[in-house]
Amino acid sequence: MPIDLKDSRNRDYVSSLFCEYLQREHRSDLIRLTTQPAHVHFSLVVHFNYLCEFDNLFSELLLIRPLDTLLLLDEGLRAALKLNCIESDKPTTHNPFLNVHTRLTALPVIPEVHRETIPWSSDVGKFIALRGTVSRVGPVQVLQGRMMFTCSKCGFQFYVDANFESHFSIKPPRFCPNRDLPCSSPYLRPSPDRVFYAKNYQEVWIHERFRCLTVGVMPRSISASFEDDLLETVKPGDDVVINGIVTRRWQPPKDGVPCGILLWIKVNYVENLSELKTGVNASHVPSERVAEFESFWSKHNTFLDALESRNILLRSLCPEVCGMYLVKLSLALLLAGAPEWSCSTRKFI
């Protein structure tokens, strides 16, 4: 039974657990993010497989409560950045790390997560990885992300975030949310703020790939929202895999017209397969994993030691299957590939 995220202690536990994972596996990325300016949006790409190896709790929470889980991951990232600044004797008052985001990649290839077809209304609230083709890209927009309100009775000030489902409209609550001094006044007014909390936003239309459809079936499409550092990462015609939450968006109400509801995907991470094929974008592998790979092979200087290292990797490939050395060796060679052969120079590139 997964933990209840409505309890503040459980929420603190999840964010602190993710903070511990970042301190162990993404130390160099944390150092890089602490040197970035505070007003620019930056993200940390986390391999979900590595995160589940650290603790399987994250996989359960992402399938059941994806929106709350992503918010807790962002809180854990901010806590890890502040802790890293404290350890390096850097001040954190000038940079509260409000513009950092956690991006999840390498989701498990299971039917509940990976999709080749456009989701339906029954999939609302699920975190999925949709593979499709970009058909249209909208312009970049700047929206107000939050607004400050003040209670006319008790003077309590609070922020209200823009609601994604109602097209980023900002509506205050019906009553004052002050809990220190019980106040239920309905008189709330906007307050001037020195900082304008802007949010970058872009709409992208994704349609199904033709090769995944049967004969006579027209491809369906869905709109996806790209925010902050994900802007302008795709263009029409790109094959992409978008990781995000399926949600609804309500059309603005009009007199005498039924309210319209559309399905959207709030994107957390996008993988441009077209760039991967052309070699434009490198894989987001943590530097700690790269150092671990280099350290493993640097211990063996002779050819016989290298063969023994290869056998160690082969034994870790499908460890439940005993023996079958040649089959595992063939599979490993197929996965690793080979350098490109140039016909003109008759050499490997």
Side-chain angles (χ1 to χ4, degrees):
M1 185 67 181
I3 63 176
D4 185 13
L5 294 182
K6 295 181 180 179
D7 191 349
S8 59
R9 292 175 296 181
N10 293 336
R11 297 175 67 90
D12 294 339
Y13 171 74
V14 174
S15 60
S16 61
L17 187 64
F18 184 66
C19 177
E20 179 183 352
Y21 167 77
L22 295 179
Q23 291 288 332
R24 178 184 301 183
E25 298 289 342
H26 292 270
R27 173 74 67 171
S28 59
D29 294 328
L30 295 177
I31 297 175
R32 175 180 57 85
L33 290 178
T34 53
T35 60
Q36 304 297 335
H39 64 279
V40 181
H41 288 268
F42 288 95
S43 61
L44 177 62
V45 180
V46 176
H47 276 245
F48 192 69
N49 290 335
Y50 300 155
L51 183 60
C52 292
E53 290 177 1
F54 176 76
D55 197 308
N56 197 33
L57 174 65
F58 295 101
S59 62
E60 299 178 3
L61 294 178
L62 190 68
L63 292 176
I64 299 175
R65 302 287 296 274
L67 182 59
D68 294 337
T69 304
L70 293 178
L71 294 177
L72 292 178
L73 295 185
D74 289 343
E75 292 181 5
L77 175 58
R78 286 191 286 268
L81 291 173
K82 293 179 181 178
L83 183 61
N84 187 74
C85 290
I86 294 175
E87 293 177 353
S88 58
D89 297 331
K90 293 182 180 179
T92 59
T93 55
H94 70 286
N95 192 354
F97 303 111
L98 297 177
N99 295 331
V100 293
H101 312 279
T102 303
R103 308 296 184 189
L104 298 179
T105 184
L107 297 180
V109 186
I110 56 178
E112 292 81 2
V113 177
H114 269 263
R115 305 291 181 88
E116 295 282 352
T117 58
I118 299 299
W120 300 92
S121 58
S122 58
D123 297 319
V124 171
K126 296 181 180 180
F127 192 85
I128 67 171
L130 175 64
R131 182 172 182 177
T133 304
V134 178
S135 58
R136 186 155 58 100
V137 177
V140 177
Q141 307 176 39
V142 179
L143 307 174
Q144 187 173 5
R146 57 167 41 183
M147 182 184 297
M148 178 184 290
F149 288 87
T150 303
C151 177
S152 301
K153 181 179 179 181
C154 64
F156 179 70
Q157 293 184 340
F158 59 95
Y159 284 99
V160 176
D161 294 330
N163 189 1
F164 173 80
E165 295 185 356
S166 59
H167 293 268
F168 292 101
S169 62
I170 301 178
K171 296 182 180 180
R174 298 180 59 184
F175 303 101
C176 177
N178 190 1
R179 295 295 178 265
D180 297 333
L181 297 175
C183 177
S184 58
S185 174
Y187 302 104
L188 305 174
R189 67 179 188 276
S191 301
D193 196 356
R194 294 179 300 176
V195 180
F196 179 78
Y197 293 93
K199 175 178 285 294
N200 299 321
Y201 172 75
Q202 187 179 29
E203 297 180 0
V204 177
W205 285 261
I206 310 292
H207 68 78
E208 298 170 334
R209 297 187 301 163
F210 288 96
R211 68 186 66 178
C212 299
L213 302 176
T214 57
V215 179
V217 177
M218 293 297 295
R220 296 186 298 130
S221 62
I222 191 172
S223 301
S225 64
F226 286 54
E227 300 178 8
D228 303 325
D229 59 305
L230 298 178
L231 302 180
E232 298 182 339
T233 55
V234 298
K235 59 183 182 297
D238 287 345
D239 289 333
V240 296
V241 176
I242 55 175
N243 304 336
I245 303 176
V246 182
T247 182
R248 301 186 184 98
R249 299 194 76 177
W250 301 77
Q251 297 291 341
K254 298 180 181 179
D255 294 337
V257 179
C259 184
I261 307 175
L262 298 176
L263 283 181
W264 281 71
I265 296 181
K266 191 174 183 181
V267 180
N268 173 262
Y269 179 75
V270 57
E271 183 178 6
N272 196 332
L273 301 180
S274 299
E275 290 185 354
L276 293 178
K277 293 177 182 178
T278 57
V280 176
N281 189 17
S283 178
H284 295 281
V285 179
S287 57
E288 285 77 10
R289 295 287 177 171
V290 176
E292 181 181 357
F293 177 83
E294 295 176 351
S295 175
F296 175 79
W297 287 105
S298 63
K299 298 177 182 178
H300 310 285
N301 298 323
T302 64
F303 181 72
L304 294 179
D305 292 339
L307 291 180
E308 181 61 28
S309 301
R310 181 202 62 183
N311 295 335
I312 294 176
L313 296 179
L314 292 180
R315 286 194 294 269
S316 63
L317 186 65
C318 299
E320 297 84 1
V321 180
C322 300
M324 303 186 69
Y325 173 80
L326 294 179
V327 176
K328 291 186 177 182
L329 179 60
S330 302
L331 179 60
L333 291 175
L334 181 63
L335 294 175
E340 184 179 355
W341 173 263
S342 177
C343 297
S344 59
T345 60
R346 295 185 177 275
K347 294 181 180 180
F348 289 105
I349 301 177

